[in-house]
Amino acid sequence: MTYESATVTYYDTEDTVLAIIITVSNQKGGVGKTTTAAALASGIASVGKRVLGIDLDPQGNLGFCLGLEPSGAPTVLDALQKKVAVEEAVSRTDYCDILPSDISLSSSGLEHSGTGRRESILKDTLKPIIGNYDYVIIDTPPALNLLTVNAYAVSDFLIIPMGTDIMSLVGLSQLKETIESVRGSLNPDLKVMGILLTRFNKRTLLARDVLEMAGQLAGQIGTVVFETKIRNGVAIAEAPAHGESIFDYSPRSAAVKDYQSLLEEIAGTIHLKEA
């Protein structure tokens, strides 16, 4: 793959260009959020870019999807609470670096943090290391909570995975309000790159109906539905158990090919270029 050169929007105090930050988010679980984050991280890293994955989901599945073994090492929560330097919380995988999480993140107590503005804790935490990376991919919890707002506050782009069922449409209005609030007070440059339909079967009437309604909702939040749709695929569920990215585990799988197409579709937006 060959892409255009990068222009990014995260700056340090000397206005040095640092990293593009993409958050994958939906308050509904089971929509392929973590799979999408892992696919972005491993796929972007595969063209020679320096990638940091950040797991803000207490389930801790992003590290698992990228082959990280449980080790008792410091987590993103330790860094957010300043128990360790953020550099000490970064783990290495075969694909990229990661700030891992575990169940302790579900009761983080960040709401009562005295370390500064609570919505900017993540941004402040990342400052010492952000210059080490070209791209940062953030996986968020299935909730619109303080962790999610911290991710939105630091991000350039959001990608919203959505299952092809009616219930997946219900929460988008609430998500729209959160995005607008963050734009108004924390991050006016936040952009929604697109809505990604997952578990998509174009032969069903329901999928076509959801696609139409998703397009209408996308217009309301100033974005689009990605041309790429992710089909069902058992390889996506199997890959983490083998410690491999979906691209290494089963590159011929239909769903894996769909994620490759997604990377190609967003390449122009994030100005990705093979190193």
mmCIF file of all heavy atoms in Angstrom, residues 6 10 14 27-29 33 40 55 67 70-71 78 82 103 129 143 170 182 218 237 242 249 253 262:
data_model
loop_
_atom_site.group_PDB
_atom_site.id
_atom_site.type_symbol
_atom_site.label_atom_id
_atom_site.label_comp_id
_atom_site.label_asym_id
_atom_site.label_seq_id
_atom_site.Cartn_x
_atom_site.Cartn_y
_atom_site.Cartn_z
ATOM 1 N N ALA A 6 1.878 12.547 5.903
ATOM 2 C CA ALA A 6 1.042 12.832 7.061
ATOM 3 C C ALA A 6 1.095 14.293 7.475
ATOM 4 O O ALA A 6 2.131 14.929 7.449
ATOM 5 C CB ALA A 6 1.483 11.956 8.230
ATOM 6 N N TYR A 10 -1.902 16.890 16.752
ATOM 7 C CA TYR A 10 -1.560 16.915 18.165
ATOM 8 C C TYR A 10 -0.203 17.577 18.291
ATOM 9 O O TYR A 10 0.767 17.152 17.696
ATOM 10 C CB TYR A 10 -1.509 15.486 18.723
ATOM 11 C CG TYR A 10 -1.474 15.418 20.223
ATOM 12 C CD1 TYR A 10 -2.559 14.947 20.943
ATOM 13 C CD2 TYR A 10 -0.354 15.826 20.923
ATOM 14 C CE1 TYR A 10 -2.527 14.878 22.320
ATOM 15 C CE2 TYR A 10 -0.312 15.769 22.295
ATOM 16 C CZ TYR A 10 -1.395 15.287 22.991
ATOM 17 O OH TYR A 10 -1.371 15.219 24.353
ATOM 18 N N GLU A 14 6.019 23.298 21.823
ATOM 19 C CA GLU A 14 6.831 23.972 20.810
ATOM 20 C C GLU A 14 6.223 23.815 19.423
ATOM 21 O O GLU A 14 6.868 24.047 18.415
ATOM 22 C CB GLU A 14 8.256 23.413 20.817
ATOM 23 C CG GLU A 14 8.983 23.659 22.143
ATOM 24 C CD GLU A 14 10.382 23.092 22.130
ATOM 25 O OE1 GLU A 14 10.721 22.373 21.157
ATOM 26 O OE2 GLU A 14 11.145 23.355 23.071
ATOM 27 N N GLN A 27 -21.351 3.487 23.028
ATOM 28 C CA GLN A 27 -21.756 3.097 24.375
ATOM 29 C C GLN A 27 -22.450 1.755 24.422
ATOM 30 O O GLN A 27 -22.683 1.208 25.496
ATOM 31 C CB GLN A 27 -22.646 4.163 25.015
ATOM 32 C CG GLN A 27 -24.064 4.228 24.474
ATOM 33 C CD GLN A 27 -24.183 5.195 23.310
ATOM 34 O OE1 GLN A 27 -23.249 5.374 22.538
ATOM 35 N NE2 GLN A 27 -25.338 5.812 23.186
ATOM 36 N N LYS A 28 -22.772 1.192 23.264
ATOM 37 C CA LYS A 28 -23.370 -0.143 23.211
ATOM 38 C C LYS A 28 -22.265 -1.178 23.040
ATOM 39 O O LYS A 28 -21.364 -1.016 22.223
ATOM 40 C CB LYS A 28 -24.346 -0.244 22.046
ATOM 41 C CG LYS A 28 -25.132 -1.553 22.024
ATOM 42 C CD LYS A 28 -26.136 -1.587 20.885
ATOM 43 C CE LYS A 28 -27.016 -2.830 20.968
ATOM 44 N NZ LYS A 28 -26.242 -4.084 20.903
ATOM 45 N N GLY A 29 -22.335 -2.230 23.820
ATOM 46 C CA GLY A 29 -21.356 -3.297 23.706
ATOM 47 C C GLY A 29 -21.686 -4.260 22.566
ATOM 48 O O GLY A 29 -22.777 -4.238 22.005
ATOM 49 N N LYS A 33 -16.188 -2.985 18.644
ATOM 50 C CA LYS A 33 -15.372 -1.828 18.976
ATOM 51 C C LYS A 33 -13.898 -2.207 19.183
ATOM 52 O O LYS A 33 -13.000 -1.615 18.580
ATOM 53 C CB LYS A 33 -15.956 -1.168 20.223
ATOM 54 C CG LYS A 33 -15.252 0.068 20.713
ATOM 55 C CD LYS A 33 -16.005 0.694 21.860
ATOM 56 C CE LYS A 33 -16.310 -0.283 22.969
ATOM 57 N NZ LYS A 33 -15.081 -0.860 23.599
ATOM 58 N N LEU A 40 -7.160 -1.430 13.515
ATOM 59 C CA LEU A 40 -6.519 -0.165 13.161
ATOM 60 C C LEU A 40 -5.080 -0.134 13.652
ATOM 61 O O LEU A 40 -4.163 0.251 12.917
ATOM 62 C CB LEU A 40 -7.296 1.002 13.762
ATOM 63 C CG LEU A 40 -8.674 1.308 13.175
ATOM 64 C CD1 LEU A 40 -9.372 2.381 14.001
ATOM 65 C CD2 LEU A 40 -8.562 1.746 11.718
ATOM 66 N N ASP A 55 -5.983 1.219 26.006
ATOM 67 C CA ASP A 55 -7.183 0.480 26.375
ATOM 68 C C ASP A 55 -7.845 1.174 27.556
ATOM 69 O O ASP A 55 -7.348 1.123 28.687
ATOM 70 C CB ASP A 55 -6.813 -0.957 26.747
ATOM 71 C CG ASP A 55 -8.031 -1.867 26.787
ATOM 72 O OD1 ASP A 55 -9.154 -1.330 26.758
ATOM 73 O OD2 ASP A 55 -7.850 -3.094 26.840
ATOM 74 N N GLY A 67 -2.131 -9.648 21.355
ATOM 75 C CA GLY A 67 -1.160 -10.653 21.777
ATOM 76 C C GLY A 67 -0.460 -10.374 23.085
ATOM 77 O O GLY A 67 0.546 -11.015 23.406
ATOM 78 N N PRO A 70 -1.208 -11.458 30.068
ATOM 79 C CA PRO A 70 -1.388 -10.893 31.413
ATOM 80 C C PRO A 70 -0.098 -11.043 32.217
ATOM 81 O O PRO A 70 0.497 -12.123 32.252
ATOM 82 C CB PRO A 70 -2.510 -11.740 32.011
ATOM 83 C CG PRO A 70 -3.226 -12.326 30.832
ATOM 84 C CD PRO A 70 -2.186 -12.521 29.773
ATOM 85 N N SER A 71 0.334 -9.959 32.864
ATOM 86 C CA SER A 71 1.630 -10.016 33.528
ATOM 87 C C SER A 71 1.670 -9.330 34.885
ATOM 88 O O SER A 71 2.657 -9.446 35.609
ATOM 89 C CB SER A 71 2.689 -9.361 32.632
ATOM 90 O OG SER A 71 2.400 -7.982 32.466
ATOM 91 N N ASP A 78 -2.726 3.087 36.440
ATOM 92 C CA ASP A 78 -1.573 3.493 37.252
ATOM 93 C C ASP A 78 -0.970 4.790 36.732
ATOM 94 O O ASP A 78 -0.560 5.656 37.512
ATOM 95 C CB ASP A 78 -0.515 2.385 37.257
ATOM 96 C CG ASP A 78 -1.002 1.121 37.939
ATOM 97 O OD1 ASP A 78 -1.580 1.233 39.038
ATOM 98 O OD2 ASP A 78 -0.812 0.040 37.363
ATOM 99 N N LYS A 82 -1.053 8.607 38.351
ATOM 100 C CA LYS A 82 0.327 9.030 38.634
ATOM 101 C C LYS A 82 1.014 8.150 39.674
ATOM 102 O O LYS A 82 1.909 8.603 40.400
ATOM 103 C CB LYS A 82 0.362 10.501 39.054
ATOM 104 C CG LYS A 82 -0.182 11.448 37.993
ATOM 105 C CD LYS A 82 0.078 12.888 38.323
ATOM 106 C CE LYS A 82 -0.516 13.825 37.264
ATOM 107 N NZ LYS A 82 -0.016 13.562 35.909
ATOM 108 N N ILE A 103 -9.633 -4.810 35.172
ATOM 109 C CA ILE A 103 -10.921 -4.532 35.802
ATOM 110 C C ILE A 103 -10.842 -3.392 36.815
ATOM 111 O O ILE A 103 -11.859 -2.760 37.139
ATOM 112 C CB ILE A 103 -11.470 -5.816 36.459
ATOM 113 C CG1 ILE A 103 -12.952 -5.658 36.821
ATOM 114 C CG2 ILE A 103 -10.626 -6.197 37.667
ATOM 115 C CD1 ILE A 103 -13.851 -5.423 35.621
ATOM 116 N N ILE A 129 5.017 11.108 26.329
ATOM 117 C CA ILE A 129 5.333 10.055 25.359
ATOM 118 C C ILE A 129 4.712 10.284 23.985
ATOM 119 O O ILE A 129 5.006 9.541 23.050
ATOM 120 C CB ILE A 129 4.897 8.668 25.871
ATOM 121 C CG1 ILE A 129 3.374 8.612 26.102
ATOM 122 C CG2 ILE A 129 5.666 8.291 27.124
ATOM 123 C CD1 ILE A 129 2.850 7.208 26.361
ATOM 124 N N ALA A 143 -19.716 2.760 27.378
ATOM 125 C CA ALA A 143 -20.428 3.706 28.245
ATOM 126 C C ALA A 143 -19.948 5.109 27.899
ATOM 127 O O ALA A 143 -18.820 5.293 27.432
ATOM 128 C CB ALA A 143 -20.149 3.402 29.715
ATOM 129 N N VAL A 170 -30.382 3.208 18.665
ATOM 130 C CA VAL A 170 -31.032 3.964 19.732
ATOM 131 C C VAL A 170 -30.079 4.905 20.445
ATOM 132 O O VAL A 170 -30.412 6.058 20.734
ATOM 133 C CB VAL A 170 -31.687 2.995 20.744
ATOM 134 C CG1 VAL A 170 -32.239 3.757 21.941
ATOM 135 C CG2 VAL A 170 -32.787 2.187 20.059
ATOM 136 N N VAL A 182 -18.439 17.874 24.037
ATOM 137 C CA VAL A 182 -16.971 17.889 24.023
ATOM 138 C C VAL A 182 -16.461 18.938 23.047
ATOM 139 O O VAL A 182 -15.504 19.672 23.341
ATOM 140 C CB VAL A 182 -16.423 16.496 23.670
ATOM 141 C CG1 VAL A 182 -14.925 16.552 23.402
ATOM 142 C CG2 VAL A 182 -16.722 15.510 24.795
ATOM 143 N N ALA A 218 -25.979 9.778 10.603
ATOM 144 C CA ALA A 218 -24.643 10.285 10.292
ATOM 145 C C ALA A 218 -24.702 11.748 9.864
ATOM 146 O O ALA A 218 -23.863 12.562 10.261
ATOM 147 C CB ALA A 218 -23.996 9.432 9.197
ATOM 148 N N ALA A 237 -13.094 -13.711 15.746
ATOM 149 C CA ALA A 237 -13.236 -14.187 17.118
ATOM 150 C C ALA A 237 -12.090 -15.114 17.516
ATOM 151 O O ALA A 237 -11.704 -15.167 18.692
ATOM 152 C CB ALA A 237 -14.569 -14.911 17.287
ATOM 153 N N HIS A 242 -5.110 -16.927 19.558
ATOM 154 C CA HIS A 242 -3.830 -17.366 18.995
ATOM 155 C C HIS A 242 -2.755 -16.296 19.131
ATOM 156 O O HIS A 242 -1.633 -16.488 18.657
ATOM 157 C CB HIS A 242 -4.013 -17.741 17.525
ATOM 158 C CG HIS A 242 -4.885 -18.942 17.313
ATOM 159 N ND1 HIS A 242 -4.382 -20.226 17.166
ATOM 160 C CD2 HIS A 242 -6.237 -19.071 17.248
ATOM 161 C CE1 HIS A 242 -5.374 -21.079 17.017
ATOM 162 N NE2 HIS A 242 -6.516 -20.410 17.061
ATOM 163 N N TYR A 249 -3.611 -13.823 11.223
ATOM 164 C CA TYR A 249 -4.278 -15.093 11.508
ATOM 165 C C TYR A 249 -5.042 -15.627 10.302
ATOM 166 O O TYR A 249 -4.950 -16.819 9.988
ATOM 167 C CB TYR A 249 -5.234 -14.927 12.694
ATOM 168 C CG TYR A 249 -5.980 -16.195 13.024
ATOM 169 C CD1 TYR A 249 -5.323 -17.278 13.594
ATOM 170 C CD2 TYR A 249 -7.351 -16.300 12.754
ATOM 171 C CE1 TYR A 249 -6.013 -18.452 13.886
ATOM 172 C CE2 TYR A 249 -8.037 -17.464 13.047
ATOM 173 C CZ TYR A 249 -7.366 -18.542 13.605
ATOM 174 O OH TYR A 249 -8.044 -19.704 13.882
ATOM 175 N N SER A 253 -9.972 -14.315 5.161
ATOM 176 C CA SER A 253 -11.332 -14.236 5.696
ATOM 177 C C SER A 253 -12.054 -13.020 5.127
ATOM 178 O O SER A 253 -11.472 -11.952 4.955
ATOM 179 C CB SER A 253 -11.281 -14.131 7.225
ATOM 180 O OG SER A 253 -12.496 -13.638 7.751
ATOM 181 N N LEU A 262 -11.294 -1.125 5.003
ATOM 182 C CA LEU A 262 -11.504 0.039 5.862
ATOM 183 C C LEU A 262 -10.224 0.848 6.000
ATOM 184 O O LEU A 262 -10.246 2.082 5.908
ATOM 185 C CB LEU A 262 -11.991 -0.418 7.237
ATOM 186 C CG LEU A 262 -12.145 0.702 8.274
ATOM 187 C CD1 LEU A 262 -13.264 1.654 7.884
ATOM 188 C CD2 LEU A 262 -12.383 0.115 9.670
#
